[in-house]
Structures are given as C-alpha cells and as structure tokens.
Amino acid sequence: MKVGVVGLGLIGGSFAKAYKAAGHTVYASNRTKQTLDYAVLSGTVDGELTDERLAECDLILIALYPQITIDWLKAHAALISANTMVIDACGTKRAVCAAGFALATEQGFTFVGGHPMAGTARSGFKYATASMFNGASMLIVPPVFDDMALFERVKILLEPANFGRLTVVTAEQHDRVIAFTSQMAHVVSNAYVKSPVTREHKGLSAGSYKDLTRVAWLDENMWTELFLENRDNLLSELDNFIEHIQEYRAALEKDDADRLRGLLAEGKQVKEEVDRSGQR
C-alpha cells in the first residue's frame, strides 16, 4: 500500500510510523521541511508527498487543523486519483466533512471524515509512536451510511494503525458529543489550574489532581480553533456545567449537608450507570 500523510505532528507522525512499521510505503508533507527531512532520514518516511505522488496513493491521511485541512483539500483535490481514499483526523467534523464530501464528489475520489481517539499531552513528531492508536477508537464519518463495501474498505485501509474499534457517527453527532467528552475536559482542566493554590500543590496532591490537570497542558492554537469551530455545542456544555457547579456552590454557601449529599449521590449514580453500560 502507498500512503500519503499530510502533517507530521503527533497524530500524522504516529500514522506514518504505524504504516511504515507495517511494511507500507509512506510519503509525507509537512509545513516545516526540517521535520520532513528528519522523518525521511530516520526511515519513517520514504519521500516527500509531492503533487505527482498524490495520485499514486491508496490512502491519504490528513493530520492538520480544520481550516488548513479544508484549504489543503481545495488546493489538491484535482490531483487526487479516483482510486484514492482521503481520511482526515480533525477534532471537529462538520465543516471539514462538508468541504471534503463536496470536493470528493466533484473530483471523483472518496473522502471519509475521521478522528482518532488517542494522543498525549506532548505534541510534535518526536513524540509520535507506531503504537499510538493500538486499541483506540477511530471515529468515522462516511459520506453515506448504507455502503458496506465502503466500510470494509475503510477497515482494511486503517488496519495498519491497529485501532481497537471503528465507531461510525454523523458529523453533527460527533461534534455534539466531542464537546462533552473532549473539549469540556480541556476547558475545565485549563481553568482549574488557574487557582493560586496550584503552585502550592507539591507534596499535597495525588491521583485526582494529576487526572484532572493532565490536559491543561495543551496546544493553545489548535484548541482555540477547535473550540471556536464547535462553539455552539461547547457553549451548551459549558452552560450545563456552570448550572450544576452553581448547585454545589449554593449547597456549600447555605451549609446544606442534605442538598450537598444529594448532589454528590446523583453524580455518583450517573457515573455508575455509565460504567455498567460499558462506556467508561
């Protein structure tokens, strides 16, 4: 298989390493030539993903910010072969999929939206690993939902990444749920560490602090774009969160033990129900 990877950051670099480790030919392009040169010298990439090589690829994986992904697709769509499948890895799906589906229909190739549920607090090619996606879920937004041949093709093309499961969703469902499961976690974590007590935590914190603050260390440029791209859904989740936080605050302010106990029990019950359903 010949695979093109656009963007050699943490996700694109991990795709490149995974496909190369599986014995496939990997071409790549990257904004910073130094990173591309290193990827070639280290044996991860076989060469630059030039315009001429785009048509040779069985699969093109785009690991860029949403708007840059759309810009790249517009600039290169006419060069992509009808035999090629293009899958992006953006954290939001509505705008990217709308553009990708339209361009794919116009130019004759296949576009499928994607979002790998994997990553680390660190970014960049040097932190990319061939095992990054092992066992992880890959969210897939197909152009149609009744084409079993397409799903089988996606499964085969993504097999070298070793995902644990492929989850098929609509772009709208993806953005609505990801606002809660991912974006809210980053907002809360980033806001939480702004307490002045953060600088006094050493020796006085354990797992709960570590778990809650892990994603406070983020790429502010990428997350700003993702938050604004999905601001309607994220605002809804923030409003819901603020409403519930105010309930806890009111119970504390009124020294209302019964109300506070009830709120804590409600949250515990929701978590137990979700865990029992297998959605940890």
Side-chain angles (χ1 to χ4, degrees), residues 69-83:
T69 295
I70 294 171
D71 293 342
W72 188 93
L73 282 167
K74 288 180 178 178
H76 296 88
L79 303 174
I80 299 173
S81 167
N83 298 318

Side-chain angles (χ1 to χ4, degrees), residues 1-267:
M1 185 192 310
K2 289 185 178 181
V3 180
V5 177
V6 184
L8 287 173
L10 178 70
I11 298 301
S14 293
F15 272 127
K17 290 182 179 182
Y19 279 83
K20 187 60 180 177
H24 300 288
T25 299
V26 178
Y27 299 125
S29 62
N30 193 68
R31 178 180 59 83
T32 306
K33 191 174 185 302
Q34 182 179 5
T35 300
L36 175 60
D37 290 344
Y38 175 76
V40 173
L41 287 172
S42 66
T44 298
V45 171
D46 294 287
E48 184 177 0
L49 180 62
T50 60
D51 288 352
E52 292 72 25
R53 284 173 170 164
L54 285 173
E56 300 176 17
C57 293
D58 302 289
L59 172 66
I60 296 174
L61 295 160
I62 309 176
L64 303 171
Y65 293 2
Q67 186 56 53
I68 301 176
T69 295
I70 294 171
D71 293 342
W72 188 93
L73 282 167
K74 288 180 178 178
H76 296 88
L79 303 174
I80 299 173
S81 167
N83 298 318
T84 302
M85 178 175 289
V86 179
I87 302 177
D88 81 287
C90 293
T92 55
K93 295 267 67 81
R94 286 175 293 177
V96 170
C97 285
F101 294 152
L103 288 165
T105 299
E106 179 183 306
Q107 298 297 334
F109 62 91
T110 302
F111 178 85
V112 172
H115 185 187
M117 295 288 94
T120 69
R122 306 280 186 173
S123 61
F125 181 78
K126 67 178 179 179
Y127 296 107
T129 65
S131 61
M132 177 67 69
F133 311 114
N134 287 0
S137 178
M138 176 63 163
L139 305 185
I140 294 296
V141 181
V144 294
F145 288 81
D146 59 353
D147 189 340
M148 297 310 298
L150 173 65
F151 294 145
E152 185 62 24
R153 185 181 170 201
V154 171
K155 181 180 178 181
I156 292 170
L157 288 172
L158 289 177
E159 190 172 330
N162 201 29
F163 287 106
R165 63 183 295 181
L166 301 182
T167 303
V168 179
V169 295
T170 65
E172 292 74 21
Q173 179 188 12
H174 172 280
D175 287 1
R176 178 175 56 81
V177 176
I178 218 71
F180 169 71
T181 61
S182 177
Q183 295 184 344
M184 268 295 293
H186 285 78
V187 170
V188 172
S189 181
N190 196 265
Y192 175 79
V193 297
K194 292 178 181 178
S195 166
V197 180
T198 294
R199 290 166 176 79
E200 303 174 30
H201 87 88
K202 189 173 183 179
L204 295 168
S205 61
S208 55
Y209 171 84
K210 183 177 180 180
D211 290 344
L212 188 51
T213 61
R214 181 180 67 83
V215 294
W217 191 339
L218 46 69
D219 181 333
E220 65 273 18
N221 296 313
M222 179 183 76
W223 285 101
T224 294
E225 182 172 342
L226 292 174
F227 290 164
L228 292 176
E229 180 72 39
N230 200 31
R231 62 187 177 275
D232 55 341
N233 289 310
L234 185 53
L235 281 169
S236 178
E237 288 300 330
L238 274 169
D239 288 343
N240 182 64
F241 182 74
I242 291 168
E243 179 182 343
H244 287 301
I245 284 292
Q246 292 288 7
E247 292 175 341
Y248 290 88
R249 191 189 188 285
L252 285 166
E253 187 175 42
K254 295 176 182 178
D255 197 23
D256 188 341
D258 289 339
R259 177 58 174 155
L260 183 58
R261 187 179 299 109
L263 290 169
L264 293 170
E266 288 172 6

